[in-house]
Amino acid sequence: MKMKKTILLLVLVILNYSCKTNEQEPLPQNTYEIAGTAKGVVNGLRAYIHSVENNRQVTIDTAIIMNEAFVFKGKTANPSIKTITINSIKGSLPFVLESGRININVKRDSLYYSPVTGSKNNEDYNGYKAEYRKRSSAINGLNEEYKNATTQEERNEIIARARKITTELDAFGMDFISNNPDSGFSLLLLETQITNPDINLEKLKSNFNALQPVINKNAAYKSIGAKIQSEIAIIEASANLNVGKIAPNFTAPSIDGEMISLNDIKGKATIVEFWASWCGPCRRENPNIVRVYEKYKDKGLEIIGVSLDRPGHKERWKKAIEDDNLNWHHVGSLQYFNDPVARLYDVHSIPASFILDEDGKIVAKKLRGKALEEQISKMLD
């Protein structure tokens, strides 16, 4: 009896050890392992993980397909949306790259919609893509309807439906975030949405606020949240510089050290001109601005030039003013594009101009040549 108990105990120990050895060891911190199956894909072809950096696609990892499978292993600090491409297969597969184990079942006929499992973020991304596919497929049906339409009235009705679906698709990303404020993927999706130049600022802020519990979950999400918050501030500042808005007032040092405020020198029409002595296009445009100024200064035109000259280049700035006969107000801090006024006006390239009416409202931007004179003529003639 004692022998039987000993054998039974030994069997249980062996079974327990066997179960433990079958479990995968946890990965080191900030490490990812992506296991992919690629049925029908030829041995030796390569799979790539790509990132977009400064509007360029950069390859960050490569794997070779063997026996219809591939594995990526590497380090990543924060979750982010990346793409996978495979030689000889059309399209790309967007997914969430994050620490941990991820599985991908490659669909050769639809790489974009290949399922990615192993993390909640990727499961949410699968759901997002499936719903987007469902909605966008309706457009294909309308194309067939349009071909078969027999009257203009029918065609107009189909066009109206197509526009409605297109509008809904454009808004789908932000709507998904609104409906899934507890998802880490929603935060990553919001990070991609802020690059849209037509983004609805109020919707952006609303979604960002709703995602605060997600942002506060860990350091990685806090880092993404800080980036989005910074972008929101930039978008808000840019929105305040749209035509129809009151131009931000500023006070800056003149070339002689006197402090000059925009509100103190505004005329019936005012040009805020960002330029620099080193800027070739600015210098070539200066004769046109001089001609417009001479023609309209007695009718109420004022100009304030904001120099983006580099540190230590005060004499170059001063010489350019004299050489080009720029006989109007000039301010500058000799900080290049870090000039406080340039940052206030979100100026990233020059020449750049803002034309204000007598109330300080922005009526036009970035006008040069004949267009500048036509705008001033419209305001003062």
Side-chain angles (χ1 to χ4, degrees):
M1 186 68 176
K2 185 176 180 181
M3 178 65 71
K4 288 183 178 179
K5 287 183 177 179
T6 302
I7 293 172
L8 179 60
L9 181 60
L10 182 60
V11 169
L12 289 173
V13 169
I14 292 172
L15 286 173
N16 187 50
Y17 176 77
S18 177
C19 289
K20 285 186 176 180
T21 56
N22 287 333
E23 290 179 2
Q24 289 182 304
E25 290 293 325
L27 294 174
Q29 188 177 12
N30 296 332
T31 300
Y32 65 83
E33 183 176 296
I34 302 170
T37 58
K39 189 174 181 180
V41 178
V42 178
N43 284 350
L45 292 181
R46 294 179 182 271
Y48 307 91
I49 298 178
H50 302 289
S51 175
V52 176
E53 300 174 12
N54 298 320
N55 296 318
R56 292 188 307 111
Q57 182 172 274
V58 178
T59 300
I60 62 173
D61 204 350
T62 306
I64 299 176
I65 296 173
M66 295 299 295
N67 299 322
E68 299 182 329
F70 58 91
V71 177
F72 291 105
K73 291 182 180 180
K75 294 281 189 180
T76 183
N78 297 332
S80 57
I81 295 177
K82 308 296 185 188
T83 58
I84 288 178
T85 61
I86 300 175
N87 287 345
S88 84
I89 296 182
K90 292 181 179 180
S92 61
L93 168 62
F95 76 108
V96 178
L97 179 64
E98 56 189 329
S99 58
R101 290 186 170 88
I102 297 170
N103 299 299
I104 297 176
N105 182 16
V106 171
K107 305 293 185 184
R108 289 191 62 184
D109 60 339
S110 184
L111 182 59
Y112 182 89
Y113 292 103
S114 299
V116 183
T117 58
S119 75
K120 180 66 165 57
N121 283 336
N122 276 301
E123 288 169 7
D124 288 348
Y125 202 172
N126 290 338
Y128 170 86
K129 288 188 285 185
E131 181 62 24
Y132 188 91
R133 185 182 201 178
K134 178 182 175 183
R135 296 184 181 207
S136 61
S137 64
I139 293 287
N140 297 329
L142 289 180
N143 288 336
E144 289 301 314
E145 283 190 48
Y146 189 86
K147 290 177 184 177
N148 297 326
T150 57
T151 68
Q152 189 59 46
E153 184 179 357
E154 288 177 330
R155 295 189 189 96
N156 290 341
E157 190 272 333
I158 294 169
I159 291 172
R161 278 192 285 152
R163 285 175 177 165
K164 182 175 183 295
I165 293 173
T166 301
T167 300
E168 290 173 350
L169 285 174
D170 289 341
F172 179 62
M174 295 298 279
D175 289 342
F176 180 92
I177 296 166
S178 298
N179 295 328
N180 298 273
D182 58 344
S183 169
F185 167 67
S186 289
L187 178 63
L188 302 178
L189 182 60
L190 187 63
E191 185 181 14
T192 69
Q193 294 286 307
I194 57 178
T195 60
N196 180 358
D198 299 320
I199 195 166
N200 183 307
L201 179 58
E202 293 308 312
K203 187 75 170 178
L204 171 61
K205 292 167 66 176
S206 174
N207 278 341
F208 179 72
N209 291 334
L211 285 167
Q212 287 306 308
V214 172
I215 291 170
N216 292 327
K217 278 184 178 180
N218 55 53
Y221 287 163
K222 285 179 181 177
S223 174
I224 295 170
K227 177 183 175 182
I228 294 173
Q229 189 170 38
S230 174
E231 291 296 327
I232 289 174
I234 292 172
I235 294 170
E236 283 186 311
S238 180
N240 290 331
L241 295 167
N242 288 338
V243 171
K245 297 287 188 179
I246 297 296
N249 185 39
F250 58 83
T251 301
S254 72
I255 197 164
D256 298 320
E258 178 188 355
M259 299 306 291
I260 297 177
S261 294
L262 172 64
N263 284 347
D264 291 339
I265 59 95
K266 282 186 303 190
K268 291 182 179 179
T270 304
I271 301 173
V272 181
E273 180 72 18
F274 292 87
W275 74 296
S277 64
W278 51 262
C279 170
C282 304
R283 302 293 296 273
R284 289 191 291 272
E285 175 65 11
N286 278 343
N288 178 60
I289 301 175
V290 169
R291 184 175 55 79
V292 172
Y293 180 66
E294 292 298 324
K295 184 175 180 179
Y296 288 100
K297 65 180 181 179
D298 293 334
K299 294 185 177 182
L301 174 62
E302 293 287 353
I303 301 178
I304 181 166
V306 183
S307 168
L308 271 60
D309 275 279
R310 294 178 173 86
H313 287 186
K314 182 176 181 178
E315 290 306 314
R316 295 188 186 184
W317 174 27
K318 185 175 182 180
K319 186 174 187 302
I321 292 173
E322 294 172 350
D323 289 349
D324 293 1
N325 298 310
L326 311 182
N327 299 316
W328 47 73
H329 304 283
H330 292 276
V331 298
S333 60
L334 297 175
Q335 294 184 48
Y336 197 45
F337 281 93
N338 286 322
D339 181 274
V341 183
R343 296 181 66 181
L344 178 66
Y345 276 70
D346 196 31
V347 171
H348 301 284
S349 63
I350 52 176
S353 60
F354 294 78
I355 293 86
L356 320 181
D357 66 12
E358 59 185 336
D359 298 319
K361 185 186 297 182
I362 300 170
V363 295
K365 299 190 292 185
K366 300 179 181 179
L367 298 184
R368 299 165 68 178
K370 186 178 180 181
L372 176 65
E373 182 174 0
E374 289 175 347
Q375 177 63 46
I376 299 303
S377 173
K378 189 189 305 181
M379 299 169 70
L380 298 179
D381 279 339

